[in-house]
Amino acid sequence: MFSNLIVGASEAYLGDSLFVLVVFIILVALVGKFAFGPVSKMMQDRSDKITNDLDNAAQSREDAAKLAAQRATELKNSKSEAVEIVNTAKQNGEKQREGMVTLAQEEVQTLKQNAKKDIEQSRLDALNSARDDVAQLSIEIASKLIKKELSVTDQKSLINSYIEGLDKQNEIR
Amino acid sequence: MDDKYPIISILGIRFNLANCLSVLVSAILVFALVFFLSRKIMLKPTKRQNILEWIIDFTNGIVKSAMPGEEGKQFYLFAFVMFMFVFISNQLGLMLQVKVQGVSWLKSPTANPIITMSLAMIVLVIAHYFSVERLGFGNYMKSYIKPVGFFLPINIIEQFTNFLTLSLRLYGNIFAGEVLLSLLVKMAFSHGPATMLVTAPIQMVWQGFSVFIGAIQAYVFVTLSMVYISEKVEMAD
């Protein structure tokens, strides 16, 4: 090969052009396959991703704003609801309390009346039996003392006047 | 310059081995750099991936400024590779120049007009190919007589001037930079340590400036390529 070697001045040679062309085409192919292609693709992917992320972020922000508004209204509603519930409970409590008080009062009233009635009854009973006993006794005493028979009605009126006298004496005492 | 080059002839086609080797080294460096930067690609980019993405964004921006629409997307890869290749080629000769017994083996490939012309030819072939593909052959031919018929010769000449300005601007800038660099090296070795001390800072300044020029020229080359392609691809109203 080097037998053809000529050493001369610089001239334009066709071989150089062909060599440049071939080397350049190979270089373009290799760089495109190993470096430019992948890197360009990655740059494209990145710009796509950034665009997508920006869109998504805008969407998310809208959603978040919507949710926040919804929560605020819900919170307001729940507050008024709570107030209503408390009010209802208060009213119910008041009603119940009143009902219980009335009931108790009624019961007490009834008990009182019953007791009064019982007392009155027993007093009357005691008085009646005492009257009868006293009438009988006085009749016996009188019949024994004066051996004179008195009519029962006369005696009763006599005894009544007597007992009234006792009552008065009692009241005075 | 009076540099000598190793030339071989295969099947009657002559190859300048220095150019071929330089182009090959540049291409391997570009691929190695890009391959190194593109390992472990993730959605959250790491340091290396950030560098690569920054360069890709940069070249995509160049394409978008010429072709803002959907039609520009098919040129992203081309613009990226062209930018990286021209940039690395421009820097290669600043870091590494190999000469064996007066014969150049390695230097900036873009400091040779045949290489820059080849690159410009690739650009123009792509421009015309996509013009026909996109507009159809009839509209492609009609674009030569727009806006009016007598613009035909101007439009045809414009294609050649585009080709020449695109290639020779790059070649001239890089070649001039390398010439000055080698002149400074010769000056440094001309009168012993004294000239070396004087030349070293000048050399550093010029190398730094050449890095800057190399970057600017790579940017200009890709920008003008995209402008020429967009002129051909987009329907002239």
Side-chain angles (χ1 to χ4, degrees), chain A residues 1-2 4-21 23-24 27-28 30-32 34-36 38-40 42-43 45-46 49, chain B residues 4-7 9 13-16 19-20 23 27 31 34-35 38-39 41-43 45 49 52-53 56-57 76-78 80-82 85 114-115 118 122:
Chain A
M1 177 164 111
F2 275 71
N4 288 331
L5 190 75
I6 317 160
V7 176
S10 174
E11 288 171 36
Y13 298 115
L14 180 62
D16 295 1
S17 285
L18 292 177
F19 189 79
V20 169
L21 183 63
V23 166
F24 192 79
L27 185 64
V28 167
L30 286 178
V31 168
F34 286 105
F36 191 86
V39 172
S40 292
M42 191 54 73
M43 288 163 85
D45 287 354
R46 187 181 306 137
K49 188 180 183 313
Chain B
K4 290 179 170 147
Y5 296 102
I7 315 274
S9 177
I13 303 171
R14 286 197 288 179
F15 291 82
N16 182 336
N19 283 344
C20 295
V23 167
F31 181 73
V34 167
F35 189 79
S38 66
R39 292 308 89 193
I41 296 169
M42 285 180 289
L43 203 61
Q49 195 185 338
L52 190 59
E53 285 186 8
I56 289 175
D57 264 343
Y76 285 173
L77 173 62
F78 172 72
F80 174 72
V81 177
M82 186 56 95
F85 182 72
I114 192 70
I115 306 293
S118 304
I122 292 173

Side-chain angles (χ1 to χ4, degrees), chain A residues 128-144:
Chain A
N128 283 341
S129 72
R131 246 178 230 158
D132 287 352
D133 285 355
V134 168
Q136 202 63 40
L137 269 175
S138 47
I139 288 167
E140 277 172 16
I141 292 164
S143 59
K144 273 182 184 170

Side-chain angles (χ1 to χ4, degrees), chain A residues 19-78:
Chain A
F19 189 79
V20 169
L21 183 63
V22 170
V23 166
F24 192 79
I25 288 170
I26 293 172
L27 185 64
V28 167
L30 286 178
V31 168
K33 177 155 172 48
F34 286 105
F36 191 86
V39 172
S40 292
K41 190 176 167 297
M42 191 54 73
M43 288 163 85
Q44 187 61 44
D45 287 354
R46 187 181 306 137
S47 80
D48 289 352
K49 188 180 183 313
I50 289 169
T51 313
N52 280 343
D53 285 358
L54 283 179
D55 290 350
N56 286 345
Q59 185 68 39
S60 307
R61 215 170 49 179
E62 240 171 64
D63 290 352
K66 256 187 223 162
L67 265 180
Q70 201 180 327
R71 292 225 178 98
T73 50
E74 270 173 15
L75 197 65
K76 217 186 269 176
N77 287 348
S78 66

